[in-house]
Amino acid sequence: MAEVHQSKSGTGYSGGQRGRSLPSSPDAERAVLSAILLNEDNIAHVADLLAPKDFFQRPNQIVYQALLDLYKDNKKIDIIVMQDHLGARGQLEAAGGVVYLLELQEDIPSIGLIAQHAKIVKDKALLRSLISSSSDIIRLCYEQGDKEVEGLLDQAEKSIFQVSNLVTTTAFQPLGDLLKGTFKRLAK
């Protein structure tokens, strides 16, 4: 039987089955963050695909959220700006500190593979969501009591459908917002 635990990673669950760790790819997560720190234009390739919660490791979630914040504010991205941004929010240490940011900057990801690395991160996040939903369904089945089986089946279907929606959902932005950001970047 699957067990659900609170994880240190901040994802809400830390284990699928006893003795097994949840799907994740720390190397792909670091590669995505490193590629963005190496060239801030890379964030445009992944901003619609990845959300901070897609990163399994909590420091990577925090760093990616900071990168997104800076990108949305049309600010240049480098280690000093990241350090200031995270420090101002009291998140620098939770993000691994300056040492982790420097390590990310020193990692040289494979050029041109950010989309593939981002897909790996997203796929692992989807697997974790599916495991979480499955664990919830199993728990509901064991705690069913006098509930109608059809009701449980509806809940299970909704839970799985929510995971499948994560695959097809993209972050929509009004065209005006996108154009403003693009023109600001071009003006620089």
Side-chain angles (χ1 to χ4, degrees), residues 3 10 12 20 47 54 60 64 66-67 72 82 117 123 165 179:
E3 289 186 356
R20 297 181 101 178
D54 291 333
N60 293 344
Y64 186 69
L67 291 167
K72 288 177 183 173
M82 285 290 293
H117 294 150
D123 287 349
N165 276 342
L179 290 175

Side-chain angles (χ1 to χ4, degrees), residues 30 37 79 97-107:
R30 288 177 62 103
L37 287 171
I79 294 299
V98 176
V99 171
Y100 186 60
L101 293 176
L102 289 170
E103 287 173 5
L104 286 174
Q105 186 179 21
E106 290 173 2
D107 284 352

Side-chain angles (χ1 to χ4, degrees), residues 26-156:
D27 292 337
E29 290 185 14
R30 288 177 62 103
V32 168
L33 299 175
S34 295
I36 296 168
L37 287 171
L38 183 67
N39 180 354
E40 67 188 34
D41 294 335
N42 282 329
I43 198 165
H45 300 291
V46 298
D48 287 341
L49 176 66
L50 293 177
K53 65 181 170 128
D54 291 333
F55 291 80
F56 184 66
Q57 296 177 334
R58 183 69 180 138
N60 293 344
Q61 293 173 355
I62 295 168
V63 169
Y64 186 69
Q65 181 62 62
L67 291 167
L68 284 176
D69 292 345
L70 293 169
Y71 174 70
K72 288 177 183 173
D73 291 342
N74 293 310
K75 293 186 178 173
K76 294 286 186 182
I77 297 171
D78 72 0
I79 294 299
I80 296 168
V81 173
M82 285 290 293
Q83 181 180 353
D84 182 64
H85 183 81
L86 291 167
R89 285 160 182 71
Q91 295 182 315
L92 185 58
E93 290 309 311
V98 176
V99 171
Y100 186 60
L101 293 176
L102 289 170
E103 287 173 5
L104 286 174
Q105 186 179 21
E106 290 173 2
D107 284 352
I108 305 296
S110 299
I111 303 300
L113 294 180
I114 189 169
Q116 290 174 340
H117 294 150
K119 183 170 179 354
I120 292 168
V121 172
K122 185 66 170 185
D123 287 349
K124 299 299 182 182
L126 289 169
L127 289 172
R128 291 191 304 272
S129 294
L130 189 56
I131 290 168
S132 178
S133 292
S134 299
S135 296
D136 289 344
I137 292 167
I138 290 168
R139 182 185 47 77
L140 287 172
C141 289
Y142 279 111
E143 297 172 357
Q144 171 249 345
D146 293 335
K147 294 179 187 171
E148 297 264 340
V149 173
E150 289 81 13
L152 286 173
L153 190 57
D154 284 344
Q155 282 181 290

Side-chain angles (χ1 to χ4, degrees), residues 137 151-164:
I137 292 167
L152 286 173
L153 190 57
D154 284 344
Q155 282 181 290
E157 189 176 296
K158 286 177 187 173
S159 181
I160 298 298
F161 185 69
Q162 287 175 338
V163 173
S164 69

